Amino acid sequence: MASRVPLHTVMRVLESPDLIVRTARTAVRKRITSRLDYRRTDGFSAPPIQIDLKIVNACNLRCKMCAQWGEAGYNFTRPSAEIRETVPLSVYKKMIDDVASFKPWIYIWGGEPFLYPDLLPLITYMKSKGFIVSVVTNGTKVAQHARELVDAGLDVLLVSVDGPRETHDNIRGYKGAFDLTTDGIRAIQAEKQRLGKVKPYVSLMSVFTRDNQDRVEEIYELGDELKIDGMLSWYGWYQTLDSGARHTALLQEKMNITPWSWKGYLWSAQEIDPEVVVRTVQRLNARQWSFPYVFFPDLKYEDVPAYYRDHSNTFGYHQCRAPWLMCEIMPNGDVATCRDYSDVVVGNIKQDSLLNIWNSQRSREFRLFLKNDGLMPICSRCQGLMGL
């Protein structure tokens, strides 16, 4: 259910040949060559095509559906010292130098990335090395850094929006969040126009929740108003007590760890009315938008109810190759095997080089476990499975 790509969007992207080449290389790696690594019996993989850098745990908002700081957020039960821990800029620079030869795509997220004090110097350093860099943000601190972001050459700015002003502020737990976010996007667009630049490309991100399931169309209308470059819409990842219990037993047996991150996704999918979601998506598809958009996962209308009511249904997604493709670095420097479920730690960039960690014994052990045992119980609603 992805949209057609408007001609003016194509023309803007053509002004960034580096992004086109890197996107094509990423697509080939994801769709073709990763299959060869997946078939290996030793768990080795070629260097990661993407590094997901969770740069902080801290966030200035309390979004209801957030697995970290939302109503079921796992960060509330973690030690405060662990939550505050970050990696020094010097360590990140060394990591970038170590992987500079193959230039993976860098995806920076959090928490709220702009709470990391050296975010702008880090982006500038990455861009000086020729990396493609994306930042995911709630947008509340973008306006004050707009000129620096455009000057640095940031490639993609992904901004989360949950609805019109009242809905957005309600979900985000902060009155005024909507205005801060939209002001930030306008500041970026104005700075790009002033300097005659097309980067960063701005995309909005939205998630269907109980509070906005009938108001997502207004997010798209906002996208038109803000002249964005793309829209990403998620049906929402969730877990159940049953999937969590089975997942815990499996990881205790196979990897000798007790996972905790799944507990942050324990919102009830029963709060969603699938018929309302379907009607919303139908309205979105019936209209013409000034930007391309895509839904994750890409479902047929008749499959949407099962998505929220049958957690075990994977809709044909049966193989996760994310651990062969992407490297997940946590705020304390831990390297994990999954972006959203960071329970399995295979090393730390403060103690070892990322390239050594990537094919360490622990990394290979996890890949072979995932390959040979098949999807874990939590995988049926995972971004790594349904978002690739």
Side-chain angles (χ1 to χ4, degrees):
M1 291 188 285
S3 68
R4 291 171 290 184
V5 181
L7 179 60
H8 65 85
T9 298
V10 175
M11 299 305 295
R12 281 202 298 265
V13 173
L14 288 176
E15 295 184 51
S16 302
D18 58 334
L19 193 59
I20 296 173
V21 171
R22 204 66 59 83
T23 300
R25 192 186 77 170
T26 298
V28 170
R29 173 69 181 141
K30 286 183 176 181
R31 305 300 180 189
I32 301 174
T33 61
S34 66
R35 297 177 184 274
L36 302 177
D37 285 341
Y38 186 85
R39 292 172 183 167
R40 293 184 62 148
T41 59
D42 55 10
F44 277 87
S45 182
I49 198 69
Q50 178 174 314
I51 294 177
D52 298 328
L53 193 63
K54 186 178 181 183
I55 204 162
V56 291
N57 287 305
C59 188
N60 58 326
L61 300 182
R62 293 294 180 265
C63 309
K64 293 182 179 181
M65 69 293 189
C66 178
Q68 300 180 57
W69 293 109
E71 293 174 339
Y74 55 65
N75 278 336
F76 291 111
T77 60
R78 299 173 67 192
S80 58
E82 182 180 306
I83 294 295
R84 292 194 299 268
E85 191 173 358
T86 59
V87 173
L89 178 62
S90 59
V91 175
Y92 282 136
K93 285 185 173 181
K94 183 181 184 303
M95 182 269 291
I96 291 300
D97 292 341
D98 289 343
V99 302
S101 61
F102 56 92
K103 292 182 175 58
W105 195 303
I106 306 294
Y107 177 95
I108 300 175
W109 66 300
E112 171 46 51
F114 284 92
L115 295 180
Y116 182 73
D118 290 317
L119 178 64
L120 270 298
L122 178 58
I123 293 173
T124 300
Y125 189 76
M126 290 172 171
K127 291 305 301 176
S128 74
K129 297 291 183 176
F131 285 70
I132 299 295
V133 183
S134 304
V135 173
V136 180
T137 174
N138 60 39
T140 57
K141 296 184 177 295
V142 167
Q144 59 194 278
H145 300 292
R147 181 168 186 174
E148 296 169 280
L149 290 168
V150 176
D151 283 341
L154 177 67
D155 297 281
V156 182
L157 185 70
L158 298 147
V159 185
S160 299
V161 176
D162 298 316
R165 181 178 287 103
E166 183 178 347
T167 301
H168 180 86
D169 287 358
N170 173 48
I171 292 174
R172 297 273 150 171
Y174 183 83
K175 187 174 183 179
F178 179 87
D179 290 335
L180 288 172
T181 296
T182 53
D183 287 349
I185 296 172
R186 291 188 178 94
I188 288 287
Q189 302 293 43
E191 199 64 31
K192 285 161 54 177
Q193 184 174 20
R194 186 181 72 83
L195 296 174
K197 295 187 177 183
V198 297
K199 293 181 180 179
Y201 294 102
V202 178
S203 289
L204 296 189
M205 304 170 67
S206 63
V207 180
F208 282 91
T209 73
R210 68 180 184 229
D211 298 296
N212 74 356
Q213 56 189 305
D214 59 347
R215 308 207 69 176
V216 174
E217 195 170 2
E218 292 172 80
I219 304 175
Y220 281 58
E221 291 168 351
L222 177 66
D224 270 342
E225 177 189 337
L226 295 174
K227 297 180 173 57
I228 65 169
D229 299 290
M231 178 77 72
L232 309 176
S233 294
W234 277 268
Y235 288 110
W237 312 121
Y238 70 96
Q239 297 301 329
T240 66
L241 289 173
D242 176 67
S243 66
R246 289 185 291 113
H247 177 65
T248 298
L250 185 64
L251 279 192
Q252 286 175 335
E253 175 190 353
K254 298 293 185 177
M255 301 297 294
N256 196 30
I257 64 170
T258 299
W260 45 268
S261 60
W262 62 270
K263 296 178 182 179
Y265 295 85
L266 281 175
W267 58 270
S268 175
Q270 299 298 319
E271 298 172 345
I272 298 288
D273 184 339
E275 298 307 318
V276 171
V277 172
V278 169
R279 289 196 295 271
T280 298
V281 175
Q282 288 174 329
R283 290 197 304 272
L284 291 172
N285 286 331
R287 294 181 58 174
Q288 295 293 319
W289 304 102
S290 61
F291 47 83
Y293 62 94
V294 64
F295 291 91
F296 293 104
D298 186 14
L299 299 175
K300 299 176 181 178
Y301 295 135
E302 57 266 30
D303 287 335
V304 171
Y307 181 86
Y308 293 110
R309 300 297 183 256
D310 181 6
H311 186 274
S312 64
N313 192 335
T314 63
F315 306 98
Y317 296 93
H318 63 277
Q319 185 184 95
C320 178
R321 295 196 303 278
W324 285 259
L325 291 164
M326 303 173 185
C327 191
E328 319 299 336
I329 302 178
M330 298 296 110
N332 65 351
D334 281 347
V335 179
T337 58
C338 180
R339 181 194 306 168
D340 297 307
Y341 303 98
S342 55
D343 306 286
V344 182
V345 175
V346 296
N348 189 292
I349 62 170
K350 293 179 182 179
Q351 303 161 4
D352 199 357
S353 77
L354 186 60
L355 292 181
N356 286 340
I357 296 170
W358 176 246
N359 277 318
S360 67
Q361 181 178 347
R362 188 69 166 170
S363 297
R364 291 182 283 115
E365 179 186 359
F366 179 79
R367 291 188 190 117
L368 292 177
F369 154 58
L370 186 61
K371 172 186 174 181
N372 296 331
D373 284 61
L375 296 177
M376 296 180 289
I378 62 167
C379 292
S380 65
R381 292 297 177 272
C382 177
Q383 183 171 341
L385 176 68
M386 295 183 170
L388 289 179

